[in-house]
């Protein structure tokens, strides 16, 4: 079995959310989930396991099963989403393929039962009840806050991965996966984690009307290999400025060769060793895309209201005598990269700030071609001043490491206009 954790009733730190709070939630009161910050939400999702314990013992290593056998705790996640919520969402305009897939397993293969066009709840319910179909609701975070499943039961079988931490999804033949390494039934209030690449099967036990669950797929394309690919181009860019060998032309006809020559391989090996030596002594890695993509594809900060606070600066206008601080720190990234202005032939380094404050929740992760990055760019001379703002709980505008007062005021005004800082 995967590591199993059951909430203890001894009131110690590792225990569950107090029953008093859960009873309030069941009566329509506050949820036991913490929406104050991403880290707070995550810790409440995996409670009673601590975040530090999860990443030390389970993350990318082995499955974790949290079972909340207490009937009161069965509502731990349920208030966030249930099957009946689909009825109201259908009335808002949902479409087959884009928002919902209806499918079922026939002779071991997935068969899609989608209709054309707009989704109607009565048809959805008919497919669900009469055809025992599975309803896949894509990217529900566009309509709710974070959700987890909590209706019915699901029987799960986990198998040892054929490719640990696999980068790509694949279907494995049953004669390759062997017998299940773990087998159990998830009930309302339970949570299951397993590392990427774990082969798994799930079905609703016979006799149950339905089972509602959510799959949270996270940390895609965030491996060391991805980070190396992202930073290597910037490292080569910097090194080539100082090393004439990297600026020399490759041998004529090299690109026409079917196989890479031994001479070219030795040359590239030497360059890689040189880059490794240079990497040891640098603290400034140029990120080509990862930081930008992270900000572009992140949900905006969670707000109970209409989110106008994220697009319109508020509070006092910052001046030279102001003290300012960074806000929405978890939604802002700072990076250095070559100038992206195509008219600048010198390709000098610039400082880029990307954020998710203006990202649209209704199109999140939907492959929308209109997705754009939001942020600012500054000359490299501003990097030290920006680091001061990033690394301080609050800082006086006068103390920013810039040459003139005009530069200091211009910097904080740009950040304030983008809702990234506030005057304290």
């Amino acid at each position: 079995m995967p590591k199993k954790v059951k909430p203890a009733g001894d009131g110690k730190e590792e225990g569950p959310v107090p029953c008093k709070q859960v009873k309030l939630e069941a009566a329509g009161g506050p949820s036991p989930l913490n929406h104050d910050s991403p880290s707070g939400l995550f810790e409440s999702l995996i409670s009673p396991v601590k975040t530090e314990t999860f990443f030390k013992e389970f993350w990318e290593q082995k499955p974790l099963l949290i079972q909340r056998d207490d009937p009161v705790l069965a509502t731990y996640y349920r208030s966030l989403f249930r099957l009946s919520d689909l009825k109201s969402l259908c009335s808002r305009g949902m479409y087959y393929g884009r928002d919902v897939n209806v499918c079922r397993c026939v002779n071991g293969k997935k068969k899609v039962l989608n209709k054309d066009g707009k989704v109607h709840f009565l048809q959805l319910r008919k497919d669900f009840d009469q055809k025992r179909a599975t309803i896949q609701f894509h990217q529900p975070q566009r309509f709710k806050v974070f959700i987890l499943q909590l209706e019915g039961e699901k029987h799960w079988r986990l198998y040892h991965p054929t490719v640990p931490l696999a980068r790509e999804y694949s279907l494995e033949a049953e004669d390759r996966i062997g017998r299940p390494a773990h087998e159990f039934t998830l009930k309302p209030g339970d949570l299951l984690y397993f590392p990427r690449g774990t082969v798994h099967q799930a079905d609703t036990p016979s006799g149950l009307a339905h089972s509602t669950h959510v799959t949270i797929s996270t940390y895609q394309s965030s491996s060391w290999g991805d980070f190396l690919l992202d930073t290597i181009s910037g490292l080569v860019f910097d090194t080539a400025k100082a090393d004439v060998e990297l600026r020399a032309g490759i041998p004529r006809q090299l690109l026409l060769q079917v196989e890479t020559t031994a001479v070219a391989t030795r040359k590239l090996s030497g360059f890689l060793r040189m880059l490794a030596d240079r990497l040891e002594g640098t603290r400034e890695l140029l990120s080509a895309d990862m930081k930008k993509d992270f900000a572009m594809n992140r949900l905006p900060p969670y707000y109970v209201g209409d989110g106008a606070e994220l697009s319109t600066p508020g509070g006092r206008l910052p001046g030279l005598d102001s003290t300012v601080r960074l806000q929405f720190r978890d939604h802002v990234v700072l990076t250095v990269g070559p100038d992206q202005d195509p008219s600048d032939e010198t390709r000098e380094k610039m400082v880029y700030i990307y954020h998710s404050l203006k990202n649209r929740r209704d199109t999140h992760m939907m492959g929308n071609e209109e997705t754009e990055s939001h942020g600012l760019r500054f000359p490299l001379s501003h990097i030290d001043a920006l680091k001061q703002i990033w690394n301080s709980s609050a800082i006086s505008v006068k103390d920013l490491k810039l040459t003139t007062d005009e530069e200091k005021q211009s910097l904080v005004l740009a950040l304030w206009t983008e809702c990234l800082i506030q005057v304290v």
Side-chain angles (χ1 to χ4, degrees), residues 322-354:
S322 301
T323 297
V324 299
R325 70 181 175 194
L326 183 70
Q327 59 179 355
F328 305 114
R329 184 179 298 272
D330 289 332
H331 294 267
V332 190
V333 297
L334 185 152
T335 187
V336 175
D339 192 349
Q340 297 172 8
D341 185 350
S343 64
D344 186 358
E345 296 182 357
T346 60
R347 296 278 286 171
E348 294 296 326
K349 290 182 186 177
M350 299 290 289
V351 182
Y352 292 92
I353 295 174
Y354 301 107

PDB file of all heavy atoms in Angstrom, residues 322-354:
ATOM      1  N   SER A 322       8.542  58.451  -0.385  1.00  0.00           N
ATOM      2  CA  SER A 322       7.698  57.306  -0.011  1.00  0.00           C
ATOM      3  C   SER A 322       8.535  56.104   0.416  1.00  0.00           C
ATOM      4  O   SER A 322       9.709  55.969   0.076  1.00  0.00           O
ATOM      5  CB  SER A 322       6.796  56.905  -1.174  1.00  0.00           C
ATOM      6  OG  SER A 322       5.967  57.961  -1.576  1.00  0.00           O
ATOM      7  N   THR A 323       7.869  55.219   1.149  1.00  0.00           N
ATOM      8  CA  THR A 323       8.400  53.891   1.439  1.00  0.00           C
ATOM      9  C   THR A 323       7.474  52.889   0.748  1.00  0.00           C
ATOM     10  O   THR A 323       6.246  52.981   0.886  1.00  0.00           O
ATOM     11  CB  THR A 323       8.444  53.615   2.947  1.00  0.00           C
ATOM     12  OG1 THR A 323       9.336  54.543   3.568  1.00  0.00           O
ATOM     13  CG2 THR A 323       8.933  52.191   3.229  1.00  0.00           C
ATOM     14  N   VAL A 324       8.044  51.966   0.000  1.00  0.00           N
ATOM     15  CA  VAL A 324       7.228  51.044  -0.796  1.00  0.00           C
ATOM     16  C   VAL A 324       7.583  49.601  -0.485  1.00  0.00           C
ATOM     17  O   VAL A 324       8.645  49.316   0.065  1.00  0.00           O
ATOM     18  CB  VAL A 324       7.418  51.308  -2.309  1.00  0.00           C
ATOM     19  CG1 VAL A 324       6.991  52.708  -2.674  1.00  0.00           C
ATOM     20  CG2 VAL A 324       8.871  51.061  -2.731  1.00  0.00           C
ATOM     21  N   ARG A 325       6.686  48.721  -0.856  1.00  0.00           N
ATOM     22  CA  ARG A 325       6.960  47.292  -0.709  1.00  0.00           C
ATOM     23  C   ARG A 325       6.320  46.534  -1.865  1.00  0.00           C
ATOM     24  O   ARG A 325       5.307  46.954  -2.418  1.00  0.00           O
ATOM     25  CB  ARG A 325       6.451  46.759   0.623  1.00  0.00           C
ATOM     26  CG  ARG A 325       4.933  46.701   0.749  1.00  0.00           C
ATOM     27  CD  ARG A 325       4.523  46.179   2.105  1.00  0.00           C
ATOM     28  NE  ARG A 325       3.084  46.215   2.295  1.00  0.00           N
ATOM     29  CZ  ARG A 325       2.501  46.074   3.470  1.00  0.00           C
ATOM     30  NH1 ARG A 325       3.232  45.895   4.566  1.00  0.00           N
ATOM     31  NH2 ARG A 325       1.179  46.105   3.568  1.00  0.00           N
ATOM     32  N   LEU A 326       6.917  45.405  -2.190  1.00  0.00           N
ATOM     33  CA  LEU A 326       6.401  44.539  -3.251  1.00  0.00           C
ATOM     34  C   LEU A 326       5.138  43.848  -2.767  1.00  0.00           C
ATOM     35  O   LEU A 326       5.041  43.433  -1.612  1.00  0.00           O
ATOM     36  CB  LEU A 326       7.459  43.500  -3.622  1.00  0.00           C
ATOM     37  CG  LEU A 326       7.147  42.543  -4.769  1.00  0.00           C
ATOM     38  CD1 LEU A 326       7.150  43.297  -6.092  1.00  0.00           C
ATOM     39  CD2 LEU A 326       8.174  41.411  -4.806  1.00  0.00           C
ATOM     40  N   GLN A 327       4.139  43.715  -3.642  1.00  0.00           N
ATOM     41  CA  GLN A 327       2.953  42.938  -3.320  1.00  0.00           C
ATOM     42  C   GLN A 327       2.732  41.855  -4.369  1.00  0.00           C
ATOM     43  O   GLN A 327       3.309  41.897  -5.450  1.00  0.00           O
ATOM     44  CB  GLN A 327       1.726  43.837  -3.195  1.00  0.00           C
ATOM     45  CG  GLN A 327       1.367  44.639  -4.430  1.00  0.00           C
ATOM     46  CD  GLN A 327       0.120  45.482  -4.208  1.00  0.00           C
ATOM     47  OE1 GLN A 327      -0.532  45.410  -3.166  1.00  0.00           O
ATOM     48  NE2 GLN A 327      -0.238  46.286  -5.191  1.00  0.00           N
ATOM     49  N   PHE A 328       1.936  40.847  -4.008  1.00  0.00           N
ATOM     50  CA  PHE A 328       1.689  39.685  -4.877  1.00  0.00           C
ATOM     51  C   PHE A 328       3.010  38.992  -5.251  1.00  0.00           C
ATOM     52  O   PHE A 328       3.237  38.621  -6.397  1.00  0.00           O
ATOM     53  CB  PHE A 328       0.937  40.095  -6.147  1.00  0.00           C
ATOM     54  CG  PHE A 328      -0.341  40.829  -5.896  1.00  0.00           C
ATOM     55  CD1 PHE A 328      -0.481  42.157  -6.261  1.00  0.00           C
ATOM     56  CD2 PHE A 328      -1.401  40.193  -5.265  1.00  0.00           C
ATOM     57  CE1 PHE A 328      -1.662  42.840  -6.019  1.00  0.00           C
ATOM     58  CE2 PHE A 328      -2.592  40.871  -5.019  1.00  0.00           C
ATOM     59  CZ  PHE A 328      -2.724  42.196  -5.396  1.00  0.00           C
ATOM     60  N   ARG A 329       3.871  38.827  -4.268  1.00  0.00           N
ATOM     61  CA  ARG A 329       5.206  38.277  -4.510  1.00  0.00           C
ATOM     62  C   ARG A 329       5.162  36.918  -5.203  1.00  0.00           C
ATOM     63  O   ARG A 329       6.025  36.609  -6.035  1.00  0.00           O
ATOM     64  CB  ARG A 329       5.959  38.156  -3.180  1.00  0.00           C
ATOM     65  CG  ARG A 329       7.391  37.682  -3.297  1.00  0.00           C
ATOM     66  CD  ARG A 329       8.044  37.611  -1.926  1.00  0.00           C
ATOM     67  NE  ARG A 329       8.091  38.922  -1.294  1.00  0.00           N
ATOM     68  CZ  ARG A 329       9.083  39.783  -1.472  1.00  0.00           C
ATOM     69  NH1 ARG A 329      10.092  39.457  -2.264  1.00  0.00           N
ATOM     70  NH2 ARG A 329       9.071  40.941  -0.852  1.00  0.00           N
ATOM     71  N   ASP A 330       4.166  36.098  -4.886  1.00  0.00           N
ATOM     72  CA  ASP A 330       4.075  34.759  -5.479  1.00  0.00           C
ATOM     73  C   ASP A 330       3.625  34.784  -6.933  1.00  0.00           C
ATOM     74  O   ASP A 330       3.571  33.745  -7.584  1.00  0.00           O
ATOM     75  CB  ASP A 330       3.102  33.883  -4.680  1.00  0.00           C
ATOM     76  CG  ASP A 330       3.648  33.494  -3.321  1.00  0.00           C
ATOM     77  OD1 ASP A 330       4.887  33.416  -3.196  1.00  0.00           O
ATOM     78  OD2 ASP A 330       2.846  33.276  -2.396  1.00  0.00           O
ATOM     79  N   HIS A 331       3.301  35.959  -7.436  1.00  0.00           N
ATOM     80  CA  HIS A 331       2.791  36.064  -8.806  1.00  0.00           C
ATOM     81  C   HIS A 331       3.675  36.935  -9.692  1.00  0.00           C
ATOM     82  O   HIS A 331       3.248  37.346 -10.774  1.00  0.00           O
ATOM     83  CB  HIS A 331       1.365  36.620  -8.779  1.00  0.00           C
ATOM     84  CG  HIS A 331       0.374  35.703  -8.130  1.00  0.00           C
ATOM     85  ND1 HIS A 331      -0.371  34.800  -8.832  1.00  0.00           N
ATOM     86  CD2 HIS A 331       0.057  35.516  -6.826  1.00  0.00           C
ATOM     87  CE1 HIS A 331      -1.136  34.110  -7.991  1.00  0.00           C
ATOM     88  NE2 HIS A 331      -0.888  34.526  -6.771  1.00  0.00           N
ATOM     89  N   VAL A 332       4.884  37.211  -9.232  1.00  0.00           N
ATOM     90  CA  VAL A 332       5.793  38.087  -9.971  1.00  0.00           C
ATOM     91  C   VAL A 332       7.158  37.428 -10.082  1.00  0.00           C
ATOM     92  O   VAL A 332       7.664  36.875  -9.110  1.00  0.00           O
ATOM     93  CB  VAL A 332       5.947  39.456  -9.263  1.00  0.00           C
ATOM     94  CG1 VAL A 332       6.701  40.437 -10.162  1.00  0.00           C
ATOM     95  CG2 VAL A 332       4.606  40.035  -8.855  1.00  0.00           C
ATOM     96  N   VAL A 333       7.758  37.455 -11.288  1.00  0.00           N
ATOM     97  CA  VAL A 333       9.114  36.934 -11.472  1.00  0.00           C
ATOM     98  C   VAL A 333       9.982  38.017 -12.098  1.00  0.00           C
ATOM     99  O   VAL A 333       9.513  38.837 -12.892  1.00  0.00           O
ATOM    100  CB  VAL A 333       9.139  35.662 -12.356  1.00  0.00           C
ATOM    101  CG1 VAL A 333       8.383  34.530 -11.701  1.00  0.00           C
ATOM    102  CG2 VAL A 333       8.579  35.943 -13.741  1.00  0.00           C
ATOM    103  N   LEU A 334      11.236  38.003 -11.717  1.00  0.00           N
ATOM    104  CA  LEU A 334      12.224  38.948 -12.240  1.00  0.00           C
ATOM    105  C   LEU A 334      13.326  38.153 -12.906  1.00  0.00           C
ATOM    106  O   LEU A 334      13.834  37.188 -12.339  1.00  0.00           O
ATOM    107  CB  LEU A 334      12.776  39.801 -11.098  1.00  0.00           C
ATOM    108  CG  LEU A 334      13.745  40.932 -11.433  1.00  0.00           C
ATOM    109  CD1 LEU A 334      13.642  42.031 -10.369  1.00  0.00           C
ATOM    110  CD2 LEU A 334      15.193  40.451 -11.498  1.00  0.00           C
ATOM    111  N   THR A 335      13.709  38.542 -14.112  1.00  0.00           N
ATOM    112  CA  THR A 335      14.746  37.816 -14.834  1.00  0.00           C
ATOM    113  C   THR A 335      15.542  38.765 -15.721  1.00  0.00           C
ATOM    114  O   THR A 335      15.094  39.881 -16.019  1.00  0.00           O
ATOM    115  CB  THR A 335      14.133  36.686 -15.693  1.00  0.00           C
ATOM    116  OG1 THR A 335      15.176  35.899 -16.265  1.00  0.00           O
ATOM    117  CG2 THR A 335      13.267  37.251 -16.811  1.00  0.00           C
ATOM    118  N   VAL A 336      16.717  38.328 -16.109  1.00  0.00           N
ATOM    119  CA  VAL A 336      17.583  39.093 -17.002  1.00  0.00           C
ATOM    120  C   VAL A 336      17.719  38.317 -18.302  1.00  0.00           C
ATOM    121  O   VAL A 336      17.879  37.091 -18.294  1.00  0.00           O
ATOM    122  CB  VAL A 336      18.972  39.318 -16.367  1.00  0.00           C
ATOM    123  CG1 VAL A 336      19.908  40.018 -17.350  1.00  0.00           C
ATOM    124  CG2 VAL A 336      18.843  40.139 -15.084  1.00  0.00           C
ATOM    125  N   GLY A 337      17.641  39.014 -19.422  1.00  0.00           N
ATOM    126  CA  GLY A 337      17.754  38.348 -20.718  1.00  0.00           C
ATOM    127  C   GLY A 337      18.165  39.321 -21.797  1.00  0.00           C
ATOM    128  O   GLY A 337      18.161  40.546 -21.590  1.00  0.00           O
ATOM    129  N   PRO A 338      18.523  38.793 -22.967  1.00  0.00           N
ATOM    130  CA  PRO A 338      18.870  39.669 -24.096  1.00  0.00           C
ATOM    131  C   PRO A 338      17.691  40.548 -24.476  1.00  0.00           C
ATOM    132  O   PRO A 338      16.533  40.148 -24.332  1.00  0.00           O
ATOM    133  CB  PRO A 338      19.219  38.679 -25.218  1.00  0.00           C
ATOM    134  CG  PRO A 338      19.511  37.387 -24.525  1.00  0.00           C
ATOM    135  CD  PRO A 338      18.645  37.364 -23.307  1.00  0.00           C
ATOM    136  N   ASP A 339      17.977  41.724 -24.946  1.00  0.00           N
ATOM    137  CA  ASP A 339      16.930  42.643 -25.379  1.00  0.00           C
ATOM    138  C   ASP A 339      16.095  41.998 -26.477  1.00  0.00           C
ATOM    139  O   ASP A 339      16.617  41.498 -27.472  1.00  0.00           O
ATOM    140  CB  ASP A 339      17.570  43.938 -25.895  1.00  0.00           C
ATOM    141  CG  ASP A 339      16.546  45.047 -26.087  1.00  0.00           C
ATOM    142  OD1 ASP A 339      15.341  44.758 -26.019  1.00  0.00           O
ATOM    143  OD2 ASP A 339      16.954  46.200 -26.301  1.00  0.00           O
ATOM    144  N   GLN A 340      14.777  41.980 -26.289  1.00  0.00           N
ATOM    145  CA  GLN A 340      13.873  41.344 -27.249  1.00  0.00           C
ATOM    146  C   GLN A 340      13.377  42.304 -28.321  1.00  0.00           C
ATOM    147  O   GLN A 340      12.564  41.936 -29.162  1.00  0.00           O
ATOM    148  CB  GLN A 340      12.678  40.745 -26.495  1.00  0.00           C
ATOM    149  CG  GLN A 340      13.078  39.655 -25.519  1.00  0.00           C
ATOM    150  CD  GLN A 340      11.928  39.202 -24.638  1.00  0.00           C
ATOM    151  OE1 GLN A 340      10.786  39.601 -24.839  1.00  0.00           O
ATOM    152  NE2 GLN A 340      12.222  38.362 -23.668  1.00  0.00           N
ATOM    153  N   ASP A 341      13.880  43.525 -28.292  1.00  0.00           N
ATOM    154  CA  ASP A 341      13.513  44.512 -29.304  1.00  0.00           C
ATOM    155  C   ASP A 341      14.232  44.178 -30.610  1.00  0.00           C
ATOM    156  O   ASP A 341      15.455  44.250 -30.684  1.00  0.00           O
ATOM    157  CB  ASP A 341      13.901  45.910 -28.828  1.00  0.00           C
ATOM    158  CG  ASP A 341      13.430  47.003 -29.788  1.00  0.00           C
ATOM    159  OD1 ASP A 341      12.978  46.657 -30.901  1.00  0.00           O
ATOM    160  OD2 ASP A 341      13.527  48.184 -29.431  1.00  0.00           O
ATOM    161  N   PRO A 342      13.512  43.789 -31.671  1.00  0.00           N
ATOM    162  CA  PRO A 342      14.160  43.388 -32.924  1.00  0.00           C
ATOM    163  C   PRO A 342      14.913  44.527 -33.605  1.00  0.00           C
ATOM    164  O   PRO A 342      15.773  44.286 -34.454  1.00  0.00           O
ATOM    165  CB  PRO A 342      12.982  42.911 -33.794  1.00  0.00           C
ATOM    166  CG  PRO A 342      11.783  43.601 -33.222  1.00  0.00           C
ATOM    167  CD  PRO A 342      12.043  43.721 -31.756  1.00  0.00           C
ATOM    168  N   SER A 343      14.613  45.777 -33.234  1.00  0.00           N
ATOM    169  CA  SER A 343      15.298  46.907 -33.867  1.00  0.00           C
ATOM    170  C   SER A 343      16.656  47.190 -33.240  1.00  0.00           C
ATOM    171  O   SER A 343      17.436  47.979 -33.772  1.00  0.00           O
ATOM    172  CB  SER A 343      14.415  48.162 -33.769  1.00  0.00           C
ATOM    173  OG  SER A 343      14.242  48.540 -32.406  1.00  0.00           O
ATOM    174  N   ASP A 344      16.936  46.527 -32.085  1.00  0.00           N
ATOM    175  CA  ASP A 344      18.202  46.754 -31.406  1.00  0.00           C
ATOM    176  C   ASP A 344      19.211  45.693 -31.834  1.00  0.00           C
ATOM    177  O   ASP A 344      19.156  44.554 -31.395  1.00  0.00           O
ATOM    178  CB  ASP A 344      17.987  46.706 -29.880  1.00  0.00           C
ATOM    179  CG  ASP A 344      19.245  47.072 -29.094  1.00  0.00           C
ATOM    180  OD1 ASP A 344      20.281  47.324 -29.746  1.00  0.00           O
ATOM    181  OD2 ASP A 344      19.179  47.111 -27.867  1.00  0.00           O
ATOM    182  N   GLU A 345      20.144  46.070 -32.688  1.00  0.00           N
ATOM    183  CA  GLU A 345      21.107  45.103 -33.220  1.00  0.00           C
ATOM    184  C   GLU A 345      22.183  44.727 -32.208  1.00  0.00           C
ATOM    185  O   GLU A 345      22.855  43.711 -32.354  1.00  0.00           O
ATOM    186  CB  GLU A 345      21.755  45.667 -34.488  1.00  0.00           C
ATOM    187  CG  GLU A 345      20.758  45.879 -35.633  1.00  0.00           C
ATOM    188  CD  GLU A 345      21.440  46.393 -36.891  1.00  0.00           C
ATOM    189  OE1 GLU A 345      22.659  46.620 -36.839  1.00  0.00           O
ATOM    190  OE2 GLU A 345      20.741  46.557 -37.913  1.00  0.00           O
ATOM    191  N   THR A 346      22.359  45.535 -31.157  1.00  0.00           N
ATOM    192  CA  THR A 346      23.424  45.246 -30.185  1.00  0.00           C
ATOM    193  C   THR A 346      23.026  44.125 -29.224  1.00  0.00           C
ATOM    194  O   THR A 346      23.886  43.486 -28.636  1.00  0.00           O
ATOM    195  CB  THR A 346      23.757  46.500 -29.377  1.00  0.00           C
ATOM    196  OG1 THR A 346      22.576  46.941 -28.672  1.00  0.00           O
ATOM    197  CG2 THR A 346      24.255  47.606 -30.294  1.00  0.00           C
ATOM    198  N   ARG A 347      21.732  43.893 -29.041  1.00  0.00           N
ATOM    199  CA  ARG A 347      21.225  42.821 -28.176  1.00  0.00           C
ATOM    200  C   ARG A 347      21.812  42.909 -26.768  1.00  0.00           C
ATOM    201  O   ARG A 347      22.359  41.951 -26.229  1.00  0.00           O
ATOM    202  CB  ARG A 347      21.523  41.444 -28.777  1.00  0.00           C
ATOM    203  CG  ARG A 347      20.846  41.182 -30.088  1.00  0.00           C
ATOM    204  CD  ARG A 347      19.425  40.726 -29.888  1.00  0.00           C
ATOM    205  NE  ARG A 347      19.376  39.351 -29.404  1.00  0.00           N
ATOM    206  CZ  ARG A 347      18.274  38.749 -28.986  1.00  0.00           C
ATOM    207  NH1 ARG A 347      17.150  39.419 -28.953  1.00  0.00           N
ATOM    208  NH2 ARG A 347      18.289  37.494 -28.580  1.00  0.00           N
ATOM    209  N   GLU A 348      21.720  44.075 -26.156  1.00  0.00           N
ATOM    210  CA  GLU A 348      22.186  44.244 -24.786  1.00  0.00           C
ATOM    211  C   GLU A 348      21.231  43.540 -23.820  1.00  0.00           C
ATOM    212  O   GLU A 348      20.067  43.290 -24.135  1.00  0.00           O
ATOM    213  CB  GLU A 348      22.276  45.733 -24.441  1.00  0.00           C
ATOM    214  CG  GLU A 348      23.336  46.491 -25.220  1.00  0.00           C
ATOM    215  CD  GLU A 348      24.742  46.002 -24.918  1.00  0.00           C
ATOM    216  OE1 GLU A 348      24.990  45.606 -23.754  1.00  0.00           O
ATOM    217  OE2 GLU A 348      25.579  45.993 -25.826  1.00  0.00           O
ATOM    218  N   LYS A 349      21.712  43.261 -22.608  1.00  0.00           N
ATOM    219  CA  LYS A 349      20.868  42.636 -21.599  1.00  0.00           C
ATOM    220  C   LYS A 349      19.860  43.637 -21.048  1.00  0.00           C
ATOM    221  O   LYS A 349      20.142  44.824 -20.915  1.00  0.00           O
ATOM    222  CB  LYS A 349      21.716  42.103 -20.444  1.00  0.00           C
ATOM    223  CG  LYS A 349      22.571  40.904 -20.774  1.00  0.00           C
ATOM    224  CD  LYS A 349      23.300  40.462 -19.522  1.00  0.00           C
ATOM    225  CE  LYS A 349      24.288  39.347 -19.821  1.00  0.00           C
ATOM    226  NZ  LYS A 349      25.045  38.966 -18.612  1.00  0.00           N
ATOM    227  N   MET A 350      18.689  43.119 -20.732  1.00  0.00           N
ATOM    228  CA  MET A 350      17.634  43.919 -20.120  1.00  0.00           C
ATOM    229  C   MET A 350      17.078  43.160 -18.925  1.00  0.00           C
ATOM    230  O   MET A 350      17.213  41.932 -18.823  1.00  0.00           O
ATOM    231  CB  MET A 350      16.517  44.201 -21.122  1.00  0.00           C
ATOM    232  CG  MET A 350      16.930  44.971 -22.364  1.00  0.00           C
ATOM    233  SD  MET A 350      17.346  46.694 -22.031  1.00  0.00           S
ATOM    234  CE  MET A 350      15.706  47.356 -21.668  1.00  0.00           C
ATOM    235  N   VAL A 351      16.435  43.895 -18.014  1.00  0.00           N
ATOM    236  CA  VAL A 351      15.747  43.278 -16.884  1.00  0.00           C
ATOM    237  C   VAL A 351      14.264  43.182 -17.239  1.00  0.00           C
ATOM    238  O   VAL A 351      13.658  44.182 -17.640  1.00  0.00           O
ATOM    239  CB  VAL A 351      15.924  44.104 -15.599  1.00  0.00           C
ATOM    240  CG1 VAL A 351      15.239  43.395 -14.430  1.00  0.00           C
ATOM    241  CG2 VAL A 351      17.393  44.324 -15.293  1.00  0.00           C
ATOM    242  N   TYR A 352      13.699  41.993 -17.088  1.00  0.00           N
ATOM    243  CA  TYR A 352      12.284  41.775 -17.401  1.00  0.00           C
ATOM    244  C   TYR A 352      11.535  41.370 -16.129  1.00  0.00           C
ATOM    245  O   TYR A 352      12.028  40.569 -15.330  1.00  0.00           O
ATOM    246  CB  TYR A 352      12.120  40.686 -18.457  1.00  0.00           C
ATOM    247  CG  TYR A 352      12.634  41.088 -19.819  1.00  0.00           C
ATOM    248  CD1 TYR A 352      13.947  40.819 -20.198  1.00  0.00           C
ATOM    249  CD2 TYR A 352      11.817  41.772 -20.710  1.00  0.00           C
ATOM    250  CE1 TYR A 352      14.439  41.204 -21.439  1.00  0.00           C
ATOM    251  CE2 TYR A 352      12.286  42.161 -21.960  1.00  0.00           C
ATOM    252  CZ  TYR A 352      13.593  41.883 -22.311  1.00  0.00           C
ATOM    253  OH  TYR A 352      14.060  42.279 -23.546  1.00  0.00           O
ATOM    254  N   ILE A 353      10.347  41.935 -15.966  1.00  0.00           N
ATOM    255  CA  ILE A 353       9.458  41.565 -14.869  1.00  0.00           C
ATOM    256  C   ILE A 353       8.157  41.057 -15.493  1.00  0.00           C
ATOM    257  O   ILE A 353       7.508  41.762 -16.273  1.00  0.00           O
ATOM    258  CB  ILE A 353       9.166  42.768 -13.950  1.00  0.00           C
ATOM    259  CG1 ILE A 353      10.447  43.228 -13.259  1.00  0.00           C
ATOM    260  CG2 ILE A 353       8.105  42.388 -12.905  1.00  0.00           C
ATOM    261  CD1 ILE A 353      10.275  44.497 -12.453  1.00  0.00           C
ATOM    262  N   TYR A 354       7.804  39.819 -15.171  1.00  0.00           N
ATOM    263  CA  TYR A 354       6.553  39.233 -15.661  1.00  0.00           C
ATOM    264  C   TYR A 354       5.654  38.931 -14.463  1.00  0.00           C
ATOM    265  O   TYR A 354       6.132  38.567 -13.382  1.00  0.00           O
ATOM    266  CB  TYR A 354       6.821  37.937 -16.434  1.00  0.00           C
ATOM    267  CG  TYR A 354       7.720  38.104 -17.636  1.00  0.00           C
ATOM    268  CD1 TYR A 354       9.034  37.637 -17.619  1.00  0.00           C
ATOM    269  CD2 TYR A 354       7.264  38.732 -18.787  1.00  0.00           C
ATOM    270  CE1 TYR A 354       9.869  37.789 -18.732  1.00  0.00           C
ATOM    271  CE2 TYR A 354       8.086  38.887 -19.902  1.00  0.00           C
ATOM    272  CZ  TYR A 354       9.385  38.414 -19.855  1.00  0.00           C
ATOM    273  OH  TYR A 354      10.207  38.564 -20.951  1.00  0.00           O
TER     274      TYR A 354
END
